[in-house]
Amino acid sequence: MADRFVTVSLDKRDVHCTARLLTDRAPLTCAAVWDALPLAGDVYHAKYARNEIYALFPPFASTEPPLENPTVTPIPGDLCYFSFAGTELATPAYGYDREVRPGGTVVDLALFYERNNLLLNGDVGWVPGIVWGQVVEGLQLMAEACNDLWRTGAAGEALSFRRA
């Protein structure tokens, strides 16, 4: 199979990067994401993991992918997939401005843009993610935009994933 690529964008800032899907390491996750594209949602900057931006989506896979190609120490350029029960994200500590309902599932698609990340959450412990993509172009500009997002705020900004 030929390599597949996605464009990851901060829409308001008009900044994007290109990532290669890791279909050899996370085939079920890559297929689920690829089939669901395009996806876009409000962007959040991580509180616990450190150098991460992400968006939350309703479940889109016909079957939730298993924990393939897992990590708790993502590196710069990793795209990760997380699935959470609504109760895991329903506390005010997470700061979501929309309701995250108990009983439902929430999918988190994340981009890690710098080093020294650790997927350890004080509420639940280790939170392994599925690494399904790796940025191959544009990470430096995206990292600068992510730092700006951290410093100036995420309100009104969207994170989008599209086929390249």
Side-chain angles (χ1 to χ4, degrees):
M1 176 185 287
D3 285 341
R4 290 181 171 177
F5 296 88
V6 296
T7 300
V8 182
S9 303
L10 286 170
D11 296 339
K12 184 176 170 184
R13 286 170 171 79
D14 194 27
V15 177
H16 64 274
C17 58
T18 303
R20 182 177 62 83
L21 272 63
L22 301 178
T23 54
D24 57 331
R25 296 182 184 178
L28 299 174
T29 307
C30 288
V33 173
W34 185 259
D35 290 346
L37 295 177
L39 293 166
D42 291 341
V43 67
Y44 297 94
H45 196 287
K47 290 172 92 174
Y48 298 104
R50 194 159 180 185
N51 301 300
E52 171 196 8
I53 61 168
Y54 62 96
L56 301 176
F57 302 98
F60 48 78
S62 58
T63 303
E64 198 60 35
L67 190 59
E68 52 185 2
N69 199 30
T71 190
V72 293
T73 56
I75 62 172
D78 277 352
L79 298 181
C80 288
Y81 178 107
F82 303 90
S83 180
F84 298 104
T87 54
E88 292 177 278
L89 302 179
T91 67
Y94 292 99
Y96 298 120
D97 55 0
R98 65 185 179 101
E99 185 178 353
V100 181
R101 297 182 182 174
T105 300
V106 177
V107 172
D108 169 333
L109 294 183
L111 164 67
F112 290 85
Y113 63 89
E114 186 49 81
R115 298 180 50 195
N116 300 320
N117 304 296
L118 188 61
L119 301 179
L120 180 60
N121 180 304
D123 294 336
V124 297
W126 295 105
V127 183
I130 300 168
V131 182
W132 60 274
Q134 179 64 47
V135 174
V136 294
E137 183 180 312
L139 183 59
Q140 182 60 40
L141 286 175
M142 182 61 84
E144 291 170 13
C146 292
N147 275 315
D148 179 64
L149 184 88
W150 172 253
R151 292 179 50 87
T152 63
E157 181 63 88
L159 179 62
S160 65
F161 299 84
R162 293 180 174 77
R163 293 179 183 185

